[in-house]
Amino acid sequence: MTGKDVARLEEAGDTIPPGTRINITFLAGEDTTTRLTAARAVKRLGFVPVPHISARRLPSRPALEEFLGGLAADGTAENVFVVGGDPARPEGPYEDALSVLRTGLLHRHGVRHVGITGYPDGHPGIADHALWTALADKAAAITAASFAGDVITQFGFDVDPVLAWLEDLRARGVHLPVRIGVPGPAGVRRLLGYATRFGVGTSASVARKYGFSLTNLMGTTGPDRFLHALAERCDPARHGVVKVHFYTFGGLRTTAEWITGFRQRNTFAPPAP
């Protein structure tokens, strides 16, 4: 959700299981009050708030302290997600997520669990070797600071690069749980727009695997095929602890209702020990 989605969350609340982790983005144009209000609403409704901290959008160390202090005062600081952020140039002293992790301020304000980013489809503006180095460094910093943590990935349409990336991740010694990004049900045109923005592969073959056509952009699609393929092919021995993270694209209730229906329609055998 964004900071401005409180009303949408309240409207969708009865469709979301208690204790669900709900991420709160750190968008440009939203102030600290808006973000803190959203985190309080998530907690009030019985869910776990996961406020984002966008390193490159922070204008100063005092701004980071103000945000963390507000979260701590509200009892919503235990879980955060730290991301580099979109600006080409940092708006303050923090170049990337690692620089925020190294401030020591997270521990001081009661943070216990830190999420970081992963990019199975790569990043349009960052070379793969730099992504791997950054991910390894952030995972090491999380472990060294005795945080619990996980990796949340960009969303994608193809399970193949996700599974290959997971194997590579474990081979590189990163064993944090991973939440694979999954797009909630949405219009094809909208999904493709987000995919282009975030560098997600959308070739004709990928589209067919996922279940939509690049020649018919007017329909709506959900991630049924993707989730089935992930469940069938994910092997804990090779891929580690894997969960999912839904990107709602503003459709909180639509996504929550889709998840409920998917659970009712499907049962999955537990993985072999």
Side-chain angles (χ1 to χ4, degrees), residues 15 183-185 246-260:
T15 66
F246 281 91
Y247 290 88
T248 68
F249 306 119
L252 287 163
R253 187 175 187 92
T254 299
T255 299
E257 288 177 343
W258 185 92
I259 293 169
T260 298

Side-chain angles (χ1 to χ4, degrees), residues 9 21 47 68:
L9 179 64
R21 298 171 66 83
F47 311 122
L68 289 170

Side-chain angles (χ1 to χ4, degrees), residues 4-239:
K4 297 176 182 177
D5 281 337
V6 171
R8 290 179 179 176
L9 179 64
E10 291 173 336
E11 189 265 338
D14 62 342
T15 66
I16 303 173
T20 295
R21 298 171 66 83
I22 297 182
N23 284 40
I24 303 156
T25 56
F26 197 103
L27 296 183
E30 293 184 348
D31 58 19
T32 298
T33 298
T34 300
R35 297 172 184 132
L36 293 176
T37 299
R40 286 195 296 270
V42 172
K43 181 181 179 182
R44 170 172 54 81
L45 291 169
F47 311 122
V48 177
V50 185
H52 287 199
I53 299 172
S54 180
R56 296 166 79 86
R57 291 197 189 282
L58 291 166
S60 64
R61 181 182 174 96
L64 174 58
E65 291 181 299
E66 177 189 7
F67 184 49
L68 289 170
L71 293 173
D74 292 338
T76 56
E78 186 170 344
N79 299 268
V80 299
F81 178 76
V82 186
V83 61
D86 293 332
R89 293 184 178 181
E91 298 174 11
Y94 304 113
E95 174 75 24
D96 50 27
L98 185 61
S99 61
V100 171
L101 291 172
R102 287 175 170 168
T103 62
L105 293 174
L106 302 185
H107 253 314
R108 195 178 306 169
H109 289 87
V111 174
R112 296 292 177 264
H113 186 286
V114 178
I116 54 177
T117 53
Y119 297 93
D121 271 296
H123 188 288
I126 305 174
D128 283 350
H129 69 86
L131 290 175
W132 281 118
T133 298
L135 181 50
D137 289 345
K138 288 182 290 186
I142 286 172
T143 301
S146 299
F147 290 121
D150 60 16
V151 181
I152 299 178
T153 76
Q154 70 198 133
F155 74 88
F157 302 120
D158 189 355
V159 167
D160 290 342
V162 169
L163 294 174
W165 179 87
L166 282 167
E167 286 200 54
D168 203 353
L169 181 74
R170 303 316 184 192
R172 291 170 183 265
V174 178
H175 298 291
L176 294 174
V178 175
R179 294 177 183 267
I180 300 299
V182 177
V188 173
R189 187 184 297 276
R190 189 174 195 191
L191 287 175
L192 291 176
Y194 278 105
T196 299
R197 177 181 173 189
F198 296 115
V200 174
T202 56
S203 67
S205 62
V206 168
R208 282 195 298 272
K209 276 199 237 180
Y210 192 77
F212 60 76
S213 169
L214 296 181
T215 60
N216 179 11
L217 305 182
M218 302 307 294
T220 297
T221 189
D224 304 64
R225 292 187 187 182
F226 182 94
L227 288 173
H228 277 288
L230 184 65
E232 290 166 2
R233 296 172 55 191
C234 192
D235 176 5
R238 289 186 295 149
H239 303 124

